[in-house]
Amino acid sequence: MKTSYACIILLFVVANSFAQTSNENTMSVMVNGTEYKTQPRQIKIGNYGYFTGNANKPDRMLRIWLGDFYGRSAVESGTYLIVNADNPDTKENIKKAQDLGKYKGIAAIRYVEEIKEPRMEYHMGESQNNDETLEVKNNGDGFIDITFSSKLTGTYWKEKTSATVFGGLGRIRDKMESKVITQATGFDSNIDPEGNGYKKQDKKDEIILTDGKMRLKNN
């Protein structure tokens, strides 16, 4: 137990050192009529990149992916066609956006919110092929402005009994460590339930995002 506690403290110290870097980014969006504000981050992994806004108490994540017609991350000014977040860069989605001739690329949105601690249950929303759009302004001042609204398909996820039983204290410790990283750095750490020991429930609904605004320093 002492070792686990020491690990968590060490993680907090290390993560907090990353958080000291200046973050002038801003984000606000109405989620089912309630404002969600945080400081988003831009993540790049090779040609892949996305924008993520995270918070805790409860843990929440809003992630936006922008791509051109060749599977690369995109930040060019213009209008992007919002597509299915679960399978965004299909030939069909790309062809539709290209054929219409008015889009710079495609976009996908995913929202995740913890509804039972510690990360036992989640409410997740994903954008669909609803002919919605997202606007990007890259004015050359070092910042990117993104405006968006979207109707997400909402699903509910619950931790599998097997994951809870066999994961034991180790799984709980991992959750707490991930929470520390998310809180201290603003980067999401293992928030997404899909493929992480959670089962999708039968219940479905909608998560409505309106008046979404992100302003981020272009990395």
Side-chain angles (χ1 to χ4, degrees):
M1 183 63 71
K2 289 182 179 179
T3 302
S4 298
Y5 180 76
C7 286
I8 292 175
I9 294 299
L10 179 61
L11 275 169
F12 181 81
V13 171
V14 173
N16 197 49
S17 67
F18 283 107
Q20 300 306 313
T21 57
S22 176
N23 183 3
E24 302 174 64
N25 302 337
T26 60
M27 185 193 88
S28 68
V29 60
M30 301 300 290
V31 181
N32 288 340
T34 301
E35 187 178 34
Y36 173 36
K37 295 180 70 174
T38 190
Q39 290 182 300
R41 307 275 181 168
Q42 183 179 8
I43 311 295
K44 285 187 177 181
I45 305 172
N47 287 333
Y48 180 79
Y50 59 88
F51 306 95
T52 180
N54 308 286
N56 66 314
K57 296 182 181 180
D59 286 343
R60 291 200 281 182
M61 173 193 78
L62 177 66
R63 183 181 295 172
I64 295 176
W65 174 80
L66 299 176
D68 63 15
F69 299 129
Y70 307 99
R72 300 171 302 195
S73 177
V75 292
E76 188 177 353
S77 292
T79 304
Y80 290 73
L81 180 66
I82 297 175
V83 298
N84 188 317
D86 194 45
N87 199 12
D89 52 348
T90 63
K91 291 181 179 179
E92 292 77 13
N93 287 340
I94 292 173
K95 185 176 186 302
K96 178 179 179 179
Q98 280 184 310
D99 288 351
L100 290 172
K102 56 184 179 181
Y103 299 118
K104 292 295 184 181
I106 57 176
I109 303 174
R110 175 173 287 185
Y111 175 80
V112 179
E113 181 172 347
E114 174 191 52
I115 56 176
K116 184 178 180 181
E117 293 189 282
R119 296 188 175 182
M120 297 292 292
E121 296 181 22
Y122 287 103
H123 189 197
M124 183 169 79
E126 295 183 308
S127 60
Q128 303 297 316
N129 295 327
N130 293 329
D131 294 322
E132 300 168 330
T133 60
L134 173 153
E135 296 291 330
V136 174
K137 289 185 179 180
N138 191 343
N139 298 318
D141 61 355
F143 283 86
I144 303 167
D145 290 292
I146 302 172
T147 55
F148 60 95
S149 292
S150 183
K151 182 185 293 185
L152 312 181
T153 294
T155 54
Y156 290 80
W157 297 73
K158 187 175 182 179
E159 187 173 55
K160 295 177 181 178
T161 303
S162 58
T164 305
V165 172
F166 294 113
L169 291 176
R171 185 172 173 86
I172 294 174
R173 183 187 65 243
D174 291 343
K175 289 180 183 180
M176 299 310 295
E177 291 174 354
S178 295
K179 277 177 169 286
V180 168
I181 294 171
T182 302
Q183 179 181 357
T185 68
F187 292 101
D188 57 273
S189 181
N190 296 329
I191 293 177
D192 197 331
E194 196 165 11
N196 286 319
Y198 296 84
K199 182 180 179 181
K200 184 190 289 187
Q201 306 300 294
D202 293 334
K203 182 180 178 181
K204 294 182 179 180
D205 59 10
E206 291 181 338
I207 297 177
I208 310 298
L209 306 181
T210 53
D211 299 324
K213 301 178 183 68
M214 271 192 186
R215 180 171 172 80
L216 308 98
K217 190 170 182 61
N218 189 10
N219 296 334

